[in-house]
Amino acid sequence: MNNIVCAISSPPGVGGIAVIRLSGSGSIELVDTVFCKPNGKKLKQQAANSIHFGTIKQGESVLDDVLISIFRAPHSFTGEDTVEISCHGSTYIQQSILRLLIDKGARLAEAGEFTRRAFLNGKMDLSQAEAVADLIASESRAAHRMALNQMRGGFSDELKKLRTGLLDFVSLVELELDFSEEDVEFADRGQLKDLASRIEKRIAELTRSFQMGNALKKGIPVALAGETNAGKSTLLNTLLNEDRAIVSEIHGTTRDVIEERISIEGVSFRFIDTAGIRDTEDTIEKLGIERTYRKIEQADIVLWVIDSTQASEHIEWLTQQIAEKTEDKKLILVFNKTDKISGEELKILYQLFDRFNVERIHISAKKKLHIADLEKALLRAAQLPDIQPGDVVVSNERHYESLSKALVSIQRVIKGIDENISGDFLSQDIRECMNHLGEITGQISTDEILGNIFSKFCIGK
Ligand SMILES: Nc1nc2c(ncn2[C@@H]2O[C@H](COP(=O)(O)OP(=O)(O)OP(=O)(O)O)[C@@H](O)[C@H]2O)c(=O)[nH]1
Ligand SMILES: [Mg+2]
């Protein structure tokens, strides 16, 4: 019976209803000891995948009216007998039911234990189990799509194909080793190289997709940069629709970096407001400006905010700064405070920035004018393919690391073929590549890896 785990699976606090979940062989019988159906029948006599109304009893007294769903192994999330109790949301009721179940022999589940059991019972591989956590945490359409595709097994299928390819490859090489005395070649080296190159290409594609996957999951970093007083913090507040950053007409208002996530049309961006750039003797401000440079460096997109009422007065210095600091970055020039200048002045200003072959948007952050244009420019700059069901995008750091190692191994294989190294070295490298791919799906795993992954889940999942 101590194989039965239980936990509250709904979020902490009071809701309309709460869900308590049990899993493990005997959990249906365990719930029978505290549950009464109006017709007196037992849950263990009921069909799988059915829902039952009744009361939970604490000794002789009624604790709550509940609905109970029962699932039987192997047709449940965990692959084991599972019961879900939907009770009223009071924390007193939730805790009392949990205590009752523990009194009857269940134990409190550890973080992620339900999903861990699903993995151990072969209901899903490790990358799918991790996708469950990503799905729960997804905050944008793109993150949701990626997690869903991964949970449905798109990535797993892809890895399976790669492993099958590698297995074919290694069997050919190892077959040769068995006949090494006779000096036969079952596959010519050209064919082997083709196979290895195809595998390498796909692993490289998957590895590359991480940059986008990671950005989509965590939000695409966008630095708000520019001179002091240009209106960067005002723009952050306008995009956020709240007074997040301090705004003032004093130059050098922002000293530290402020980061906020904003979802635009289902894509999550991480806006980073920075200290305005100017020559200063103030030590703290200097430190802030150094941080600005670092943040520009780390950002995918830089919104360079320009005070349209001031820019023309020191155009040389300004354009120099922009060119220097945003080299190799996706840059959007944002002409702000255009509520204060005429259309003619704006035209001249645009010309002054002609050396930049990048998008220019004119707005008023304060008056909230043309903000939609800026948002559209951001979406264009992000260059995100719309992720379709079935698309494989790597978004998990652990997977990325294993893929990178697999890539190194397969590249060594290709080099080995070129240098005509012996079959046993070749097969070693191929097997290494397979092992790295196997780490992702959990074919190769240790308790430590599993502990690490599932401890990040919430209790009840
Ligand atoms: N007229 C007008 N004023 C604006 C606009 N945007 C910002 N301002 C004003 O410009 C001043 C500076 O704005 P901030 O947002 O603090 O500028 P910042 O770029 O964050 O400045 P630092 O933090 O000092 O680098 C404030 O007085 C704002 O009200 C705008 O679109 N039009
Ligand atoms: Mg500011």
Side-chain angles (χ1 to χ4, degrees):
M1 283 288 250
N2 62 7
N3 188 30
I4 301 174
V5 290
C6 63
I8 298 168
S9 285
S10 38
V14 182
I17 54 171
V19 177
I20 295 166
R21 176 151 66 167
L22 293 93
S23 182
S25 160
S27 43
I28 297 172
E29 289 81 355
L30 186 147
V31 176
D32 261 335
T33 63
V34 296
F35 177 69
C36 281
K37 255 173 98 68
N39 62 11
K41 288 206 171 135
K42 289 290 174 192
L43 290 171
K44 70 170 180 217
Q45 302 162 329
Q46 310 299 320
N49 306 333
S50 54
I51 300 176
H52 307 274
F53 174 76
T55 54
I56 296 275
K57 290 211 157 167
Q58 201 171 25
E60 282 316 298
S61 57
V62 171
L63 185 61
D64 195 12
D65 289 343
V66 298
L67 278 179
I68 290 191
S69 319
I70 57 175
F71 308 87
R72 286 185 206 279
H75 303 293
S76 70
F77 175 73
T78 59
E80 305 168 334
D81 282 358
T82 298
V83 182
E84 286 180 12
I85 304 172
S86 305
C87 61
H88 290 100
S90 124
T91 47
Y92 171 73
I93 293 175
Q94 295 178 41
Q95 293 301 333
S96 301
I97 293 178
L98 208 56
R99 208 163 313 126
L100 264 178
L101 297 173
I102 291 168
D103 284 348
K104 297 292 180 185
R107 93 170 145 73
L108 213 51
E110 289 165 21
E113 192 165 0
F114 293 98
T115 315
R116 186 175 184 148
R117 286 180 173 214
F119 164 67
L120 293 172
N121 290 323
K123 295 296 285 188
M124 54 179 79
D125 71 23
L126 203 50
S127 74
Q128 288 173 300
E130 287 169 297
V132 174
D134 288 346
L135 189 70
I136 293 171
S138 66
E139 283 180 4
S140 67
R141 187 180 54 210
H144 166 258
R145 255 294 148 74
M146 288 190 300
L148 198 65
N149 288 353
Q150 190 178 320
M151 196 174 76
R152 293 264 164 87
F155 187 35
S156 313
D157 289 346
E158 191 75 40
L159 292 167
K160 225 176 275 161
K161 269 188 239 153
L162 284 171
R163 265 177 79 89
T164 312
L166 286 162
L167 203 58
D168 292 347
F169 191 176
V170 81
S171 357
L172 280 173
V173 175
E174 286 173 0
L175 201 59
E176 276 180 22
L177 291 180
D178 290 344
F179 291 87
S180 57
E181 254 105 89
E182 292 153 51
D183 198 24
V184 283
E185 248 187 35
F186 288 93
D188 69 54
R189 289 304 189 246
Q191 247 176 327
L192 280 188
K193 196 174 162 187
D194 275 357
L195 189 56
S197 304
R198 241 178 300 144
I199 291 169
E200 190 238 8
K201 188 164 163 253
R202 189 60 191 139
I203 296 179
E205 275 168 8
L206 288 171
T207 313
R208 270 200 303 277
S209 76
F210 176 70
Q211 204 197 353
M212 178 180 77
N214 193 46
L216 285 177
K217 192 158 127 184
K218 294 191 175 152
I220 298 161
V222 181
L224 290 161
E227 289 176 275
T228 53
N229 222 41
K232 301 178 293 297
S233 303
T234 310
L235 179 56
L236 178 77
N237 291 347
T238 296
L239 287 164
L240 270 175
N241 245 333
E242 77 175 64
D243 276 338
R244 170 69 178 83
I246 298 174
V247 163
S248 87
E249 69 291 341
I250 301 166
H251 285 254
T253 303
T254 307
R255 296 293 177 99
D256 218 338
V257 170
I258 301 175
E259 268 193 51
E260 284 295 335
R261 276 174 70 139
I262 301 165
S263 173
I264 299 172
E265 289 191 22
V267 177
S268 164
F269 289 90
R270 209 149 37 83
F271 285 95
I272 306 152
D273 183 20
T274 63
I277 296 165
R278 66 163 169 174
D279 289 328
T280 174
E281 290 309 314
D282 184 309
T283 328
I284 298 170
E285 197 181 346
K286 266 190 180 156
L287 289 174
I289 295 173
E290 268 161 39
R291 277 188 196 193
T292 301
Y293 294 145
R294 270 208 304 279
K295 287 294 162 186
I296 293 177
E297 199 56 46
Q298 292 161 5
D300 277 1
I301 301 172
V302 179
L303 294 185
W304 195 287
V305 184
I306 296 160
D307 182 342
S308 302
T309 65
Q310 301 282 325
S312 53
E313 288 164 27
H314 51 292
I315 194 72
E316 279 304 321
W317 181 85
L318 182 56
T319 49
Q320 180 71 21
Q321 283 286 319
I322 301 176
E324 245 173 53
K325 300 297 177 324
T326 64
E327 221 186 342
D328 322 319
K329 289 284 157 196
K330 284 181 200 156
L331 171 67
I332 299 174
L333 295 178
V334 183
F335 295 94
N336 189 30
K337 308 197 189 179
T338 50
D339 54 300
K340 285 279 207 218
I341 62 167
S342 67
E344 199 50 40
E345 285 170 310
L346 182 64
K347 223 160 116 191
I348 296 167
L349 199 56
Y350 266 49
Q351 281 162 5
L352 287 175
F353 285 84
D354 255 352
R355 66 184 274 191
F356 296 101
N357 188 18
V358 297
E359 276 212 67
R360 298 147 207 216
I361 303 288
H362 60 276
I363 61 161
S364 166
K366 191 174 175 179
K367 300 261 155 77
K368 303 188 201 301
L369 299 175
H370 307 297
I371 301 301
D373 292 344
L374 177 60
E375 291 181 341
K376 285 201 194 92
L378 276 166
L379 286 167
R380 278 196 298 274
Q383 278 179 330
L384 294 172
D386 195 18
I387 296 171
Q388 298 298 323
D391 285 353
V392 177
V393 180
V394 177
S395 63
N396 180 304
E397 200 119 11
R398 191 183 73 83
H399 301 172
Y400 171 71
E401 270 166 34
S402 295
L403 279 169
S404 305
K405 288 185 202 151
L407 189 61
V408 172
S409 315
I410 194 76
Q411 281 163 349
R412 217 171 23 235
V413 172
I414 294 174
K415 191 157 168 267
I417 297 173
D418 284 342
E419 292 171 357
N420 216 358
I421 64 166
S422 76
D424 37 354
F425 284 125
L426 217 50
S427 95
Q428 243 176 44
D429 287 337
I430 303 169
R431 294 232 170 247
E432 201 181 291
C433 183
M434 291 172 72
N435 286 348
H436 289 311
L437 297 181
E439 286 162 6
I440 300 174
T441 49
Q443 274 157 311
I444 312 281
S445 69
T446 62
D447 271 353
E448 197 190 330
I449 295 177
L450 296 185
N452 216 330
I453 290 170
F454 289 108
S455 63
K456 293 188 192 116
F457 277 60
C458 31
I459 289 188
K461 187 60 229 176

